[in-house]
Amino acid sequence: MTLTSRLRNFTKTKPFYAVAGAADYIAARLRKLPKQLQRRQDEVRETARDLPSKARKTVTENLPEPAREYTDTVTTMFNELYDELAVRGRKAVAKVSGEAAQGLENVSEAAKPRTTRQERKAPARKSASRPRTASRS
């Protein structure tokens, strides 16, 4: 089945028409929106004028206790998490520093100081064997 025939079949299905209907409905609502906004513009201005005093009243009357409770809960949770992370961090640092100390000890035991000048030189390289060529006489 070709892509064209699949698309033709899909466009005849109920889901396709449902999506098309939803898009048409949204477009119609959006066309009406500017008129609705113009009608409500005065309401918005009045509400915007009264909003600061209403917000101040709501905050002073209703917010302090729930906000304090929420802050206390979050602070407790944060402190518990902080303590758990600190304990975990101490364990991790102790483990890593212990392993590092053991590694340094092993390295220092294995290291031997060089005492002669010859030991400081790099090991001699083996020369690559060259193919022999016939000499002309």
Side-chain angles (χ1 to χ4, degrees):
M1 184 178 275
T2 66
L3 180 62
T4 306
S5 60
R6 285 184 189 174
L7 284 174
R8 195 174 310 120
N9 288 338
F10 176 71
T11 58
K12 295 177 184 178
T13 64
K14 188 174 183 176
F16 175 78
Y17 289 119
V19 170
D24 182 60
Y25 175 76
I26 291 169
R29 297 293 293 184
L30 288 174
R31 280 191 291 273
K32 293 178 183 179
L33 190 61
K35 293 177 187 175
Q36 291 174 348
L37 288 176
Q38 286 176 351
R39 279 186 252 135
R40 296 222 149 164
Q41 197 170 19
D42 292 334
E43 288 178 39
V44 170
R45 283 187 187 131
E46 187 176 322
T47 303
R49 211 175 304 121
D50 296 338
L51 190 60
S53 62
K54 287 181 180 178
R56 210 174 298 117
K57 181 180 177 184
T58 301
V59 167
T60 57
E61 291 176 359
N62 302 325
L63 193 60
E65 191 57 35
R68 197 173 303 115
E69 290 174 9
Y70 179 75
T71 304
D72 291 343
T73 302
V74 170
T75 302
T76 301
M77 291 170 62
F78 177 78
N79 286 333
E80 289 172 0
L81 177 63
Y82 183 73
D83 291 341
E84 289 174 18
L85 291 174
V87 169
R88 183 183 181 119
R90 283 188 193 106
K91 289 178 183 177
V93 168
K95 180 181 176 185
V96 170
S97 63
E99 290 172 358
Q102 183 63 39
L104 287 173
E105 190 175 314
N106 292 341
V107 167
S108 66
E109 288 176 4
K112 295 180 182 177
R114 294 182 177 172
T115 55
T116 65
R117 183 180 172 122
Q118 290 176 351
E119 290 175 352
R120 288 186 205 142
K121 289 183 179 178
R125 294 184 184 180
K126 293 182 181 179
S127 60
S129 60
R130 293 183 185 165
R132 295 184 184 185
T133 59
S135 62
R136 292 186 189 175
S137 304

